[in-house]
Amino acid sequence: MKILVVAASLVILLNAAQLARRPVVRWWKDGTPEVSTGRFQDPEGLAVDTRGNIYVADEDWGLLTQLDREGRTLSQIHYLEGYEIDGQPAPITSGDGMVVLGPGRILAIAQFNLAEIEFEDGKVKLIRVIGLGKGSGAEHFGDPEGIARHPDSGEIYVTDEDNRRIKVYDSDGKLLRSWPVRQDPESVGLLDDRAYVTFSKDDWIGCYSLEGELRFRFGEKGAGATNNPEFISVSPDGLLYVTDQRNGRIQVYDSDGNHRFSIGSWGRGLGEFRDPEDLAFDPDGNLVVADGENHRIQVLTKDGTPIREIR
């Protein structure tokens, strides 16, 4: 009898551990996650430059891939010469966000710092590293997740999740300021004099001044409610697109946090998502989405009509 009780207890503990893992939504909706047979396993970070080149950071594989606008691979890297952690080569991407600095040049969240990377004629080069690595000091990161570049000032905003702060750098990589937030920040989007920060663990989005004053919050109730809002991107016409991860959709708001419409639902078809991650807009104004557990990138019109998928 005691053996049966112990065995039952072990089963309960194992199930609890399974449910506590990050892919819980994948487990109860689709069973054990499959291994991808394509170029992506868990595409998360995403950026698109003015040439239409797409940059994809794969969290599970630690790969950074550059695609042309049609989805053909131009470059793919895991390790990059000059990038090390504690004297040892390390993957150049943690799978988190990145921003475009110019055609063929990005600033990506690496392993507890930022890496400026240049892609040119099939060659990839590390330009510089910003940040001193893991820690709680002013120049360190606890867990950088999201990153955005202000279209006017060129300032770079980075969410430092474990240290519960937003860090702001100038275009030369100098730390200008940081400001605290009350919970764990996930990603950040910038529009005029506002910074929009997602709090995925607490299911809300906050609108802040560029100096860190909380103006209002949204995404908590009604048609615009979110369940694990991950990444945010500002459209060319000033709308806020947020990946509502556990609902398998994208929520769209105006700059005042009013819900405008939703895109997609949970599934594998075109226009459907499983754990949507980062998102960006291409030079034609189309929406590009990292569709994590579908192991693909989707391209849609800004109102959500599917155009194509990239695997």
Side-chain angles (χ1 to χ4, degrees), residues 5 22 27 62 67 87 89 117 122-124 127 154 174 185 189 204 230 251 258 269 271 283 294 302 309 311:
V5 171
R22 181 174 177 269
W27 181 82
L67 311 167
I117 304 167
K123 298 180 180 179
V124 187
I127 303 300
K174 177 184 176 182
W204 61 283
E230 281 280 303
Q251 295 281 48
N258 300 306
N294 280 323
K302 65 179 183 179
E309 64 175 4
R311 292 185 178 273

Side-chain angles (χ1 to χ4, degrees), residues 221-273:
K221 58 185 179 180
T226 60
N227 189 351
N228 202 41
E230 281 280 303
F231 286 89
I232 185 169
S233 183
V234 180
S235 71
D237 54 355
L239 293 178
L240 312 175
Y241 286 65
V242 178
T243 48
D244 182 8
Q245 192 177 68
R246 288 180 183 158
N247 287 320
R249 65 185 177 186
I250 296 163
Q251 295 281 48
V252 183
Y253 308 88
D254 65 21
S255 59
D256 292 323
N258 300 306
H259 183 250
R260 298 288 294 274
F261 58 94
S262 302
I263 294 173
S265 59
W266 191 272
R268 298 172 183 267
L270 290 179
E272 298 176 335
F273 306 97

Side-chain angles (χ1 to χ4, degrees), residues 86-144:
D86 297 329
Q88 299 295 322
I92 192 61
T93 180
S94 61
D96 293 305
M98 65 188 93
V99 292
V100 169
L101 301 178
R105 185 168 294 209
I106 64 169
L107 187 63
I109 293 176
Q111 311 295 330
F112 304 107
N113 45 32
L114 309 177
E116 184 175 342
I117 304 167
E118 180 183 76
F119 296 78
E120 186 174 4
D121 298 328
K123 298 180 180 179
V124 187
K125 181 169 66 174
L126 178 66
I127 303 300
R128 59 177 170 166
V129 173
I130 300 171
L132 298 180
K134 185 173 178 60
S136 58
E139 297 289 349
H140 293 78
F141 287 99
D143 184 15

